[in-house]
Amino acid sequence: MKSCLLLCLVLVVGLSEFVEGSGLKENFYEKSCPHAEEIVREITWNYVANNVTLPPKFLRMHFHDCFVRGCDGSILIDSTPNNTAEKAAVPNLSLAGFGIIDDIKAQLEEICPGVVSCADIVALVARDSVSFQYKKPLWEVPTGRRDGTVSNVSEVLLNIPSPFFNFTLLELFFARKNLTVQDLVVLSGAHTIGVGHCAFFSNRLYNFTGKDNPSDTDPSLNKKYLAFLKTKCKSLADNTTVVPMDPGSSTSFDNHYFKILEHHEGLFQSDAALLTNKDSVKFVQEMLDSDDFFSEFRVSIKKMGEIGVLTGTAGQIRKKCNVVNH
Ligand code: HEM
Ligand SMILES: *[C@@H]1O[C@H](CO)[C@@H](O)[C@H](O)[C@H]1NC(C)=O
Ligand SMILES: *[C@@H]1O[C@H](CO)[C@@H](O)[C@H](O)[C@H]1NC(C)=O
Ligand SMILES: *[C@@H]1O[C@H](CO)[C@@H](O)[C@H](O)[C@H]1NC(C)=O
Ligand SMILES: *[C@@H]1O[C@H](CO)[C@@H](O)[C@H](O)[C@H]1NC(C)=O
Ligand SMILES: *[C@@H]1O[C@H](CO)[C@@H](O)[C@H](O)[C@H]1NC(C)=O
Ligand SMILES: *[C@@H]1O[C@H](CO)[C@@H](O)[C@H](O)[C@H]1NC(C)=O
Ligand SMILES: *[C@@H]1O[C@H](CO)[C@@H](O)[C@H](O)[C@H]1NC(C)=O
Ligand SMILES: CC(=O)N[C@H]1CO[C@H](CO)[C@@H](O)[C@@H]1O
């Protein structure tokens, strides 16, 4: 008995090491739904194999989920007659892939009903979709998040940084999530994949100081690139055209974003702002080393995935990701 006490103590201490400070742990569903993570990866890879626009959608979905009320799947909830949800906010206009999350959830409900949270699915799909290119996971996703029950459109603009932000505001919005300037720079590297709508940057081409004429341009933008962007976004009214955020490499998850950034080809003012602060410039330069980028991204996105998570008995496990359980 005594030896068991000691052994058990050792075991408990040993096991508890796998639980991270956030309350999440590696392979949380190992016992409750052993194949959950494989299933998520398989379905995700099947979709992504036919559609290169999906990884950026899912990476951004994860970011928007985590920055509003923590990573609790609240981004997935539909509006109801009584409630206008996060989805309806302007920054979400171009989010996509919700149907795929619902498909994955439906398949998981068939084998382990009520077990796997939508919040974890979002975090896993972000990782798996981006990693498809390399056929191996680019970062760890500890699991055990539970789902929130609130999704409120008014909270989005208070928490999601705007592409028109200067460095001060970017730093502030990240600090509110306990993320540092280094995290800000490293995570902005997510803009190495995907596209942006003209409306989010065309003020830099036509109306930078409010004069509204073609010579009212952002002096910090590379002149050649500016001329190119004007051929894509022909006026301030264009709200449909999209432009790759990392020209020349926008479907490859790599550190190329930091190279174009240094050439003053960052698409948004918020990208360009990373060159306006001494500390952040230092991190931008570090990210020009590919190995550093991958290893730092792994650290920062894991931190992002732990923001405000619900664990233990908090929240719920939604039956369907787009509606709160009754
Ligand atoms: C630093 C503050 C950030 C700002 C101001 C910002 C802003 C934006 C904007 C305005 C778009 C374009 C959306 C569109 O036109 O459809 C965009 C796209 C994107 N953002 Fe960010 N973002 C930031 C940080 C992040 C972070 C931290 C991530 C993920 C870790 C991320 C991932 C993405 C991705 C992958 C896209 C491409 C989406 C697509 O192709 O549809 N962003 N971002
Ligand atoms: C690819 O995904 C996008 C969403 O990013 C969707 O609008 C489009 O219909 C998909 N294309 C195909 C061929 O499935
Ligand atoms: C909306 O609120 C009303 C009154 O509080 C309630 O009777 C109704 O069931 C709610 N509808 C939904 C879809 O939640
Ligand atoms: C939504 O959030 C806003 C801003 O925090 C708050 O004023 C409002 O009461 C919230 N609405 C609901 C339905 O919780
Ligand atoms: C950043 O933008 C905010 C809001 O527009 C402004 O109050 C602040 O002065 C700006 N900071 C700098 C350093 O330009
Ligand atoms: C940031 O850290 C503080 C102190 O540890 C904690 O109380 C707070 O909940 C954290 N905020 C977020 C958004 O995670
Ligand atoms: C140009 O910028 C000014 C100042 O920011 C703004 O008031 C105006 O609405 C903008 N013009 C257009 C056409 O968007
Ligand atoms: C885009 O612009 C058109 C024409 O100005 C307008 O009818 C439409 O509502 C706009 N769409 C969005 C999403 O702002
Ligand atoms: C107001 C609005 O158009 N909101 C959209 C937000 O994103 C979701 C998912 O793409 C759309 O269904 C909403 O219409």
Side-chain angles (χ1 to χ4, degrees):
M1 236 18 206
K2 259 193 189 144
S3 64
C4 170
L5 268 181
L6 190 64
L7 186 67
C8 295
L9 193 67
V10 169
L11 268 176
V12 167
V13 170
L15 283 174
S16 64
E17 272 173 10
F18 292 99
V19 180
E20 321 224 349
S22 58
L24 304 178
K25 56 186 267 194
E26 281 301 310
N27 211 355
F28 178 83
Y29 301 106
E30 190 171 17
K31 296 240 164 58
S32 54
C33 191
H35 299 294
E37 296 196 10
E38 270 164 70
I39 290 169
V40 171
R41 189 189 59 223
E42 254 173 55
I43 303 175
T44 302
W45 280 11
N46 278 335
Y47 276 106
V48 168
N50 300 308
N51 196 335
V52 293
T53 72
L54 288 171
K57 302 290 176 204
F58 287 127
L59 187 53
R60 184 161 179 249
M61 184 189 284
H62 183 36
F63 164 49
H64 281 214
D65 188 29
C66 293
F67 265 60
V68 186
R69 290 194 162 263
C71 317
D72 67 343
S74 56
I75 189 75
L76 307 170
I77 296 174
D78 286 338
S79 296
T80 62
N82 291 345
N83 180 56
T84 309
E86 290 170 25
K87 268 185 190 177
V90 172
N92 285 350
L93 282 175
S94 49
L95 289 176
F98 293 106
I100 296 173
I101 302 288
D102 293 342
D103 182 14
I104 293 171
K105 175 64 173 174
Q107 298 201 37
L108 289 172
E109 284 299 292
E110 274 184 25
I111 55 161
C112 350
V115 172
V116 184
S117 71
C118 298
D120 277 340
I121 296 175
V122 170
L124 290 166
V125 169
R127 189 268 311 274
D128 293 338
S129 60
V130 171
S131 302
F132 175 73
Q133 175 194 350
Y134 297 99
K135 303 287 184 296
K136 64 165 194 214
L138 289 183
W139 60 89
E140 289 163 13
V141 178
T143 40
R145 294 170 191 77
R146 290 171 61 87
D147 296 325
T149 54
V150 176
S151 182
N152 178 346
V153 67
S154 326
E155 293 176 346
V156 175
L157 292 182
L158 300 173
N159 290 285
I160 299 287
S162 149
F164 304 103
F165 274 6
N166 58 28
F167 181 81
T168 313
L169 287 170
L170 289 172
E171 183 179 23
L172 174 69
F173 270 54
F174 273 66
R176 284 211 216 124
K177 307 296 168 190
N178 292 339
L179 297 175
T180 64
V181 168
Q182 179 168 10
D183 296 320
L184 164 65
V185 171
V186 170
L187 290 171
S188 292
H191 289 176
T192 183
I193 51 174
V195 295
H197 284 76
C198 295
F200 290 127
F201 59 87
S202 53
N203 67 315
R204 306 180 76 194
L205 315 180
Y206 301 107
N207 194 18
F208 194 61
T209 63
K211 294 200 193 79
D212 194 356
N213 72 59
S215 59
D216 189 9
T217 58
D218 182 345
S220 76
L221 191 57
N222 178 305
K223 293 282 175 294
K224 264 173 100 173
Y225 192 51
L226 181 134
F228 165 76
L229 289 175
K230 280 183 165 180
T231 69
K232 295 287 174 187
C233 309
K234 297 204 172 60
S235 79
L236 283 174
D238 182 344
N239 62 10
T240 52
T241 306
V242 293
V243 174
M245 292 191 292
D246 180 13
S249 173
S250 72
T251 58
S252 177
F253 189 86
D254 54 24
N255 71 336
H256 192 258
Y257 164 84
F258 295 99
K259 298 180 186 165
I260 61 114
L261 198 57
E262 282 235 309
H263 293 141
H264 302 277
E265 294 180 357
L267 193 57
F268 304 130
Q269 277 166 263
S270 56
D271 296 311
L274 302 179
L275 299 179
T276 65
N277 172 274
K278 194 162 57 57
D279 293 330
S280 108
V281 164
K282 191 189 76 188
F283 294 123
V284 168
Q285 281 162 358
E286 260 178 54
M287 292 305 100
L288 293 170
D289 180 297
S290 179
D291 290 342
D292 285 353
F293 168 63
F294 283 106
S295 64
E296 291 303 329
F297 195 85
R298 195 176 294 140
V299 172
S300 292
I301 194 134
K302 196 164 157 227
K303 267 172 90 175
M304 189 183 92
E306 292 169 354
I307 298 172
V309 291
L310 302 170
T311 56
T313 55
Q316 58 179 214
I317 304 294
R318 264 177 243 148
K319 293 189 178 71
K320 290 178 71 181
C321 290
N322 61 336
V323 286
V324 171
N325 296 346
H326 293 298

